[in-house]
Structure formats: C-alpha cells, structure tokens
Amino acid sequence: KIIPVLDILNQTVVRGVAGERDLYQPLQSNLTDSSDPLDLARAIRAEYGLSEFYVADLDAIIHQRQNRELYQGLLAEGFTFLLDCGLRTTADCAALQEYPGINIVAGLETLAGPDELAALVDQWGSERTVFSLDLKQGQPVVSAVAGNPFAELTNPLDVAGMAREQGVTQLILLDLAQVGTGQGTGTEGLCQTLHARYPELTLITGGGIRNAAELQAQAELGAEGVLVASALHDGRLGRDVVLSLS
C-alpha cells in the first residue's frame, strides 16, 4: 500500500527534509501550484487514485495546536488518514474518536510512555491505533517526560517489543534523518528483523523513497505499507507505476 504524506506546518503542506523542522518550506509539487492541504490531497487523488493519507500535524507535534478544521475538511471530502497529532496522553485525542475516518498515530517522540500507549489501544482499539517507532540516524527519539520507560531503551527492537506488549498490532518505522533525502529509508535491516520476530505485526515504512524498485524492496522486507511524499510530487513515481503497485 502506498500512503501519501501530508506534513502540515502553519496549516500549509511543507516538504520535510531530514527532520530539520525549522528549515521546512512550503511544498512545491508538479501536481498543483497550491500548498494547501486540501488542494494537494485532491490533486494526489486525481492523479494516483489514492485517498488514504498519513497526516503529520507539525503544528500539533511542535506547538500542541491541532488543526481540527483541516481534519474535518479532509474527512468531508472522503479522505481517510493516519494522524500523528503529537500525542502526549490519551486525553489529547479523546475528541477525535468520533471521526471514523481517522486512525490515531502514537509517536515515540511525543508519547509520555507505554502506559499511555496501552490506554490508546484500549480506547481506540488495535485496528485504529498505530505506534510510530521514531528514529534519527538509527537511534530512538523518545519523549523526555519524567518516568518514561521508553527513555531507558536504546535499541529500537526493545522499543518495538515494549510497544507490542501494550497491544500494538500496527507499527510505523521511520528514521527522521532519511525523510525527504531521496536516500532510502535506512531501516531495511530493522524492518526485516521486526517482520521475522513479529510476523503478525503490520509494518509501515517510509522516508527517502526514490523509485518503484525501492517500494518493491520494502514489500520484500515485510512492509505492508510505505509512506511516500517527494517522489509523488516531483515525478519520480508516475501514475502508471503507482497504479500498478497499489
């Protein structure tokens, strides 16, 4: 499954590069002159027939300001999405449960700890909860909140194991240093190991995808979904290729 990414900052779609959020600029796409989230979502659906997205709400992740009007606008037009809105606790997304088109992403970099992850799975169900194993140059990016057991772990496999113990059945594997670089995901070995260790786990990878061959390679490593952004907008992945793969 190819899952297009919308990185939202200041209510605008930006191009993420290597996790350096201070440097993110409005996205320039071959599909539309607009960097408005709804315009870009419509353009991607028109070109590729894709209507399920990954939405990284950086306004919420960085500033704790959820773009709820945008979520409602996307849902109203028939889009569904995995939403990373910078959750610290389950209470941060309680009001979003009424929207059936949203699956909630619990990101390692903001989540207060495994207890909150277990509570999310309990409230949302494992089918609507996705844990994001956030890395930077291979190292876990963990919330520094006091008493977070995730902060004691330096091995991504141990983090994944702890997440699995909380009832997680879906996991995003993303190295922020690779995002937007066009240099591959950088998590190939980890993806393969996770798939072998937890074959029941639905794995979604992404970051730095360049071409169709890399998408196919991710599938062979055990990924069931791949997050893609730049390659959809600059023409490296054409309509025919996307349609044949998805």
Side-chain angles (χ1 to χ4, degrees), residues 90 116-126 129 163 166-169:
T90 55
E116 291 295 338
L117 182 58
L120 274 171
V121 173
D122 183 58
Q123 289 185 18
W124 284 70
S126 60
T129 305
Q166 313 314 312
V168 165
T169 61

Side-chain angles (χ1 to χ4, degrees), residues 44-66:
I44 289 171
R45 180 164 61 186
E47 180 69 15
Y48 298 111
L50 301 173
S51 59
E52 180 183 3
F53 286 74
Y54 171 86
V55 175
D57 187 350
L58 297 171
D59 293 316
I61 293 170
I62 300 170
H63 304 297
Q64 293 84 57
R65 296 196 304 263
Q66 294 180 6

Side-chain angles (χ1 to χ4, degrees), residues 9 14-26 62:
L9 186 62
V14 294
R15 180 178 178 184
V17 181
E20 300 297 332
R21 291 165 178 161
D22 291 342
L23 305 178
Y24 286 8
Q25 296 295 317
I62 300 170

Side-chain angles (χ1 to χ4, degrees), residues 18-19 21 107-109 131-142 153-160 171-179 185-191 194 205-206:
R21 291 165 178 161
L108 179 65
E109 73 165 314
F131 177 66
S132 183
L133 178 45
D134 301 323
L135 307 170
K136 197 160 191 180
Q137 296 181 333
Q139 296 301 307
V141 180
V142 184
L153 306 177
T154 58
N155 188 328
L157 288 172
D158 293 336
V159 176
L171 184 146
I172 293 172
L173 186 56
L174 190 64
D175 194 313
L176 299 173
Q178 300 297 114
V179 169
T185 65
T187 59
E188 290 84 358
L190 183 55
C191 179
L194 283 171
T205 59

Side-chain angles (χ1 to χ4, degrees), residues 12 23 39 61 64 97 103 105 124 130 136 163 174 184-185 207 215 228 234 243:
T12 298
L23 305 178
D39 290 341
I61 293 170
Q64 293 84 57
Q97 277 189 274
N103 286 355
V105 174
W124 284 70
V130 186
K136 197 160 191 180
L174 190 64
T185 65
L215 288 172
V228 184
D234 62 19
L243 292 178

Side-chain angles (χ1 to χ4, degrees), residues 232-243:
L232 293 175
H233 295 286
D234 62 19
R236 281 176 291 162
L237 286 174
R239 174 183 172 86
D240 291 346
V241 169
V242 171
L243 292 178

